Amino acid sequence: MTTSDRLDRTSDRHGEAPEPSGTTATATAPDVASANDKVVRKATVAGAIGSFVEWYDYGIYGLLVTYLAINIMGEADAGNLFLTNVGFLVSFIARPFGSVICGYLGDKIGRKSLLATLLVLISAATAAIGLIPSSTVIGVAAPVLLVLLRVLQGFSAGGEVAGAMSFVGEYAPDARRNYMMSFIAVGSFIALMFGSVFSAVLITTLGEDTMTSWAWRIPFLLAVPLGYVGFYIRSRLEETPHFKVLREQNTVVRNPLRAALTSPRHLKAIVLTIFLPALNGPGYYLLFVYMPTYMKTSLGDHNFSMLRALMVTAFSLVAIAICIPLMARLSDRIGRKPVLTLSAVAMAVVSYPMFRLITTGEFGLACIGTVVLAIAFSGHAAVVHTVLAEMFPTTVRYSAYSIGFSISTIIFGGSAPLLMTELIESTGSNLIPAFASILTALITLVTIAFVRETKGQPLASS
């Protein structure tokens, strides 16, 4: 079989008509094999560490939103919590702009340098949040600065997910791609766990009053050394084998955005990229980012202290960090769709009873509820981004993946804390998050039926 035949067959597997010989640049298995196991492991570690830094910076806002409401908005009442959650939503509105610009640059000039730059951007924005004077000092300028910095964070995050996943996916061998990529997801959850534990330690050692007064700034300022470490590691990596092939053969797409948005096949995949991760919104942002605020403010007489709420969240984060690699390895063996289906069904079944346990206000029962939810969600968290990366060829992977996933996070993720707060307030039911989880699980379950199985298949390049 000739090289041209192999390239054409790779394109056919991904539902793409083969290009005439001499015009297609496809990174086949032999190209990827040139990246030895040591290099692949290095890329995976760098991806996980970069993900840790990026999502620590991004997630700490949700964990400490109550303190931000007090200091930046003036008081932690329902109205100011609403406004602070608007700041959470604003970052998601900025994400598509980051997705479009970063996706274009990532498909045009490469993944490596861009990913390192994004870490600097989000770390600087996060540290700056920790330096904002309180509203008692600068008045309305405090919330204005907060919103502007959240826009910068959202811009960076918009380019991070697809870029990091594409980077590791383009290094990983076909048979173990999901397992290698899963450590990026693990890095994001460990970042939230670190943020939860670090915040809990500060509250325990310094006290609630000190935390409210000034110590809430410490987790934000920690972004400076973390960002430096992440930038150093990412900047020392080489470009991915798949993108190198495109560059060497001079077949990098001139306008990847236009290529992604004018192809019916890519547009269909982008639509799937919007709806397949629907469960990711409640799964990630409600179960882990919003959960401490939910347990502190939305359970009425059963409200937790912030310390206990953070510790409950930390237990669930440990559970999902352990389960994600196991689910990813299972996906590499039995397929992406069975694991995604199992996770969606599990979330639909356990969400209501587990949230009932959380709303009792009992620490032990809340831990059981959040841990069970974390285990149920782990299959989705482990697999969904691998499926999204495998939907697109290397020429438009960063662009198309970023656009679809950012739109998904606006619809199902960024609005979650704000929407949950308002619905709980208006209905008086603290089980609203359970219903949101069930609904999005069903949306994901329906979308899975339209997704092709991609386990073990080589990545298409054009």
Side-chain angles (χ1 to χ4, degrees), residues 240-253:
T240 72
H242 284 260
F243 193 83
K244 277 184 178 180
V245 170
L246 296 185
R247 183 179 287 163
E248 289 167 1
Q249 297 185 0
N250 198 29
T251 51
V252 175
V253 173

Side-chain angles (χ1 to χ4, degrees), residues 224-282:
V224 174
L226 289 178
Y228 174 78
V229 171
F231 174 80
Y232 177 80
I233 293 173
R234 278 189 172 177
S235 63
R236 291 175 63 86
L237 291 172
E238 295 183 3
E239 191 53 79
T240 72
H242 284 260
F243 193 83
K244 277 184 178 180
V245 170
L246 296 185
R247 183 179 287 163
E248 289 167 1
Q249 297 185 0
N250 198 29
T251 51
V252 175
V253 173
R254 182 174 301 173
N255 190 330
L257 282 175
R258 185 171 63 184
L261 297 176
T262 58
S263 164
R265 182 173 63 86
H266 296 334
L267 286 174
K268 177 183 176 181
I270 289 173
V271 172
L272 292 176
T273 304
I274 294 172
F275 291 101
L276 185 65
L279 180 57
N280 206 65

Side-chain angles (χ1 to χ4, degrees), residues 299-424:
L299 303 185
D301 294 337
H302 301 301
N303 280 349
F304 287 75
S305 68
M306 180 56 77
L307 176 60
R308 288 167 69 85
L310 288 170
M311 292 310 298
V312 170
T313 304
F315 279 113
S316 65
L317 288 164
V318 170
I320 197 168
I322 292 172
C323 290
I324 282 176
L326 301 177
M327 292 295 104
R329 189 177 289 276
L330 182 64
S331 165
D332 281 332
R333 291 181 178 177
I334 69 172
R336 318 302 192 216
K337 295 180 68 172
V339 177
L340 283 174
T341 300
L342 177 63
S343 182
V345 171
M347 285 294 287
V349 170
V350 305
S351 288
Y352 184 80
M354 293 306 107
F355 269 97
R356 288 297 298 267
L357 292 182
I358 294 169
T359 57
T360 62
E362 296 290 333
F363 181 80
L365 293 178
C367 287
I368 293 172
T370 55
V371 167
V372 170
L373 286 167
I375 294 171
F377 178 63
S378 65
H380 182 89
V383 177
V384 67
H385 286 290
T386 301
V387 175
L388 300 184
E390 291 172 339
M391 283 184 182
F392 302 102
T394 304
T395 49
V396 299
R397 181 171 295 117
Y398 203 152
S399 301
Y401 179 176
S402 290
I403 292 169
F405 187 70
S406 289
I407 294 173
S408 181
T409 55
I410 290 175
I411 298 172
F412 302 109
S415 60
L418 177 62
L419 186 60
M420 293 303 101
T421 300
E422 287 303 292
L423 288 177
I424 292 170

Side-chain angles (χ1 to χ4, degrees), residues 61-78:
Y61 182 97
L63 293 173
L64 300 177
V65 69
T66 302
Y67 299 109
L68 289 168
I70 294 171
N71 286 275
I72 304 300
M73 301 299 177
E75 189 178 350
D77 57 19

